[in-house]
Amino acid sequence: MSKIVVVTVFTMIAMSFLAAKEAPTQAINWPDTGSPVVRVTLGKFKEISFVVGRHNYVVDAMAENLWSRKISHLGFNLYLFDKNKVRIGDGWITLDNIVPGQAIKFQTTVHALGTPVSVELAANFVPPRVAAACPAEEGVDYSELRSARCCAFRGWH
Protein backbone atom coordinates (compact mmCIF):
# COMPACT_ATOMS: atom_id res chain seq x y z
CA MET A 1 0.00 0.00 0.00
CA SER A 2 2.76 2.46 0.88
CA LYS A 3 4.45 1.85 -2.50
CA ILE A 4 1.28 2.96 -4.29
CA VAL A 5 1.15 6.17 -2.25
CA VAL A 6 4.83 6.92 -2.96
CA VAL A 7 4.40 6.28 -6.71
CA THR A 8 1.24 8.40 -6.83
CA VAL A 9 2.88 11.32 -5.01
CA PHE A 10 6.00 11.10 -7.20
CA THR A 11 3.87 11.03 -10.38
CA MET A 12 1.85 14.06 -9.27
CA ILE A 13 5.00 16.04 -8.47
CA ALA A 14 6.66 15.08 -11.76
CA MET A 15 3.56 16.03 -13.76
CA SER A 16 3.31 19.42 -12.04
CA PHE A 17 6.95 20.20 -12.92
CA LEU A 18 6.42 19.17 -16.54
CA ALA A 19 3.23 21.21 -16.84
CA ALA A 20 4.86 24.29 -15.32
CA LYS A 21 7.88 23.99 -17.62
CA GLU A 22 5.80 23.82 -20.79
CA ALA A 23 3.33 26.63 -20.11
CA PRO A 24 4.41 30.01 -21.54
CA THR A 25 4.04 33.02 -19.29
CA GLN A 26 2.85 35.39 -21.99
CA ALA A 27 2.62 35.93 -25.73
CA ILE A 28 3.01 39.48 -27.06
CA ASN A 29 2.04 40.54 -30.58
CA TRP A 30 4.10 43.41 -31.97
CA PRO A 31 2.87 45.95 -32.86
CA ASP A 32 -0.22 45.84 -30.68
CA THR A 33 -2.36 47.76 -33.20
CA GLY A 34 -2.87 46.91 -36.85
CA SER A 35 -1.49 43.72 -38.35
CA PRO A 36 1.09 42.04 -36.11
CA VAL A 37 4.61 41.63 -37.49
CA VAL A 38 6.05 39.36 -34.81
CA ARG A 39 4.84 37.42 -31.77
CA VAL A 40 7.24 37.07 -28.84
CA THR A 41 6.43 34.41 -26.26
CA LEU A 42 8.25 34.64 -22.94
CA GLY A 43 8.53 31.69 -20.59
CA LYS A 44 9.11 31.72 -16.86
CA PHE A 45 12.01 33.63 -15.34
CA LYS A 46 14.54 31.11 -13.97
CA GLU A 47 17.03 32.56 -11.50
CA ILE A 48 20.59 31.59 -12.39
CA SER A 49 22.51 33.68 -9.86
CA PHE A 50 22.19 36.19 -7.06
CA VAL A 51 25.01 38.56 -6.14
CA VAL A 52 24.69 41.45 -3.67
CA GLY A 53 20.97 42.02 -4.24
CA ARG A 54 21.14 41.59 -8.02
CA HIS A 55 19.21 38.67 -9.49
CA ASN A 56 20.17 37.21 -12.86
CA TYR A 57 17.51 35.28 -14.74
CA VAL A 58 17.39 33.28 -17.94
CA VAL A 59 14.15 33.31 -19.93
CA ASP A 60 13.16 30.76 -22.56
CA ALA A 61 11.56 32.64 -25.43
CA MET A 62 10.18 32.14 -28.91
CA ALA A 63 9.64 34.63 -31.73
CA GLU A 64 7.35 34.02 -34.70
CA ASN A 65 7.36 36.05 -37.92
CA LEU A 66 3.67 36.81 -38.58
CA TRP A 67 4.51 39.16 -41.44
CA SER A 68 4.54 38.31 -45.16
CA ARG A 69 8.19 39.40 -45.52
CA LYS A 70 11.52 38.36 -44.04
CA ILE A 71 12.57 40.19 -40.87
CA SER A 72 16.26 40.89 -41.37
CA HIS A 73 16.80 42.53 -37.98
CA LEU A 74 14.57 43.76 -35.17
CA GLY A 75 15.62 44.78 -31.66
CA PHE A 76 13.70 45.12 -28.40
CA ASN A 77 14.43 46.30 -24.87
CA LEU A 78 12.86 44.16 -22.18
CA TYR A 79 12.04 46.15 -19.04
CA LEU A 80 11.20 44.39 -15.75
CA PHE A 81 8.93 45.82 -13.05
CA ASP A 82 8.12 44.88 -9.46
CA LYS A 83 4.65 44.60 -7.93
CA ASN A 84 4.56 48.40 -7.43
CA LYS A 85 5.30 48.98 -11.14
CA VAL A 86 8.79 50.28 -10.33
CA ARG A 87 11.33 49.38 -12.99
CA ILE A 88 13.84 47.01 -11.38
CA GLY A 89 15.73 45.53 -14.30
CA ASP A 90 16.26 45.06 -17.99
CA GLY A 91 17.45 42.89 -20.82
CA TRP A 92 17.19 42.84 -24.59
CA ILE A 93 16.04 40.70 -27.48
CA THR A 94 17.51 40.80 -30.98
CA LEU A 95 15.82 38.96 -33.85
CA ASP A 96 17.70 38.28 -37.08
CA ASN A 97 16.79 36.66 -40.41
CA ILE A 98 13.35 35.21 -39.71
CA VAL A 99 11.44 34.21 -42.85
CA PRO A 100 7.63 34.49 -43.03
CA GLY A 101 5.89 31.91 -40.85
CA GLN A 102 9.13 30.84 -39.16
CA ALA A 103 9.43 30.50 -35.38
CA ILE A 104 12.74 30.61 -33.54
CA LYS A 105 13.48 29.57 -29.97
CA PHE A 106 16.14 31.28 -27.91
CA GLN A 107 17.09 32.26 -24.39
CA THR A 108 17.79 35.72 -23.08
CA THR A 109 19.37 36.83 -19.84
CA VAL A 110 17.91 39.63 -17.76
CA HIS A 111 19.08 41.36 -14.58
CA ALA A 112 16.90 42.73 -11.79
CA LEU A 113 17.08 44.15 -8.29
CA GLY A 114 14.27 41.96 -7.01
CA THR A 115 11.65 39.63 -8.41
CA PRO A 116 9.98 40.81 -11.63
CA VAL A 117 6.19 40.55 -11.80
CA SER A 118 5.57 42.44 -15.05
CA VAL A 119 7.44 43.21 -18.25
CA GLU A 120 7.42 45.79 -21.01
CA LEU A 121 8.78 45.05 -24.47
CA ALA A 122 9.80 48.18 -26.42
CA ALA A 123 11.28 48.24 -29.92
CA ASN A 124 14.70 49.87 -30.06
CA PHE A 125 15.70 49.12 -33.66
CA VAL A 126 13.15 49.03 -36.46
CA PRO A 127 14.35 48.78 -40.10
CA PRO A 128 12.58 51.09 -42.61
CA ARG A 129 10.49 48.42 -44.30
CA VAL A 130 9.31 47.02 -40.95
CA ALA A 131 8.59 50.53 -39.65
CA ALA A 132 6.41 51.11 -42.72
CA ALA A 133 4.21 48.20 -41.58
CA CYS A 134 3.75 49.68 -38.09
CA PRO A 135 0.92 52.10 -37.42
CA ALA A 136 2.07 55.65 -36.79
CA GLU A 137 2.52 56.42 -33.12
CA GLU A 138 2.34 59.98 -31.87
CA GLY A 139 5.78 61.41 -31.15
CA VAL A 140 7.77 58.65 -32.92
CA ASP A 141 10.26 59.61 -35.63
CA TYR A 142 11.02 56.50 -37.70
CA SER A 143 13.92 58.26 -39.43
CA GLU A 144 15.87 57.75 -36.19
CA LEU A 145 15.91 53.99 -36.65
CA ARG A 146 18.20 53.10 -33.77
CA SER A 147 15.93 54.76 -31.23
CA ALA A 148 12.55 54.13 -32.83
CA ARG A 149 9.87 53.05 -30.37
CA CYS A 150 7.45 51.58 -32.87
CA CYS A 151 5.26 50.21 -30.12
CA ALA A 152 5.55 49.27 -26.45
CA PHE A 153 3.90 46.31 -24.76
CA ARG A 154 3.15 45.49 -21.19
CA GLY A 155 2.55 42.02 -19.87
CA TRP A 156 2.38 40.22 -16.57
CA HIS A 157 4.87 37.57 -15.58
Side-chain angles (χ1 to χ4, degrees):
M1 182 72 168
S2 64
K3 288 181 182 180
I4 294 173
V5 172
V6 170
V7 170
T8 303
V9 169
F10 177 76
T11 303
M12 290 172 54
I13 292 171
M15 289 177 63
S16 68
F17 279 117
L18 290 174
K21 185 176 181 180
E22 297 299 320
T25 301
Q26 69 184 61
I28 304 167
N29 287 336
W30 180 87
D32 62 350
T33 59
S35 297
V37 172
V38 68
R39 175 179 296 128
V40 176
T41 304
L42 300 173
K44 298 208 179 279
F45 287 76
K46 300 172 194 161
E47 187 168 357
I48 55 175
S49 67
F50 175 78
V51 178
V52 192
R54 184 176 177 134
H55 301 264
N56 296 300
Y57 299 93
V58 66
V59 181
D60 291 324
M62 184 172 67
E64 302 170 75
N65 182 350
L66 305 176
W67 200 29
S68 61
R69 299 175 74 176
K70 177 182 173 182
I71 297 172
S72 58
H73 182 78
L74 191 56
F76 296 97
N77 289 328
L78 184 62
Y79 299 121
L80 310 173
F81 298 89
D82 68 10
K83 64 183 179 183
N84 298 319
K85 305 223 192 277
V86 174
R87 185 169 150 192
I88 59 169
D90 56 22
W92 65 88
I93 296 173
T94 302
L95 306 176
D96 291 307
N97 300 318
I98 308 174
V99 297
Q102 184 179 36
I104 60 169
K105 289 186 177 184
F106 59 95
Q107 288 184 326
T108 189
T109 304
V110 296
H111 314 283
L113 295 173
T115 303
V117 296
S118 65
V119 299
E120 180 181 317
L121 187 64
N124 66 15
F125 179 84
V126 182
R129 72 180 201 178
V130 176
C134 295
E137 185 178 334
E138 187 176 329
V140 175
D141 180 5
Y142 289 119
S143 65
E144 297 179 18
L145 296 178
R146 295 221 178 257
S147 63
R149 302 270 181 214
C150 186
C151 300
F153 303 95
R154 291 178 176 82
W156 294 100
H157 170 70

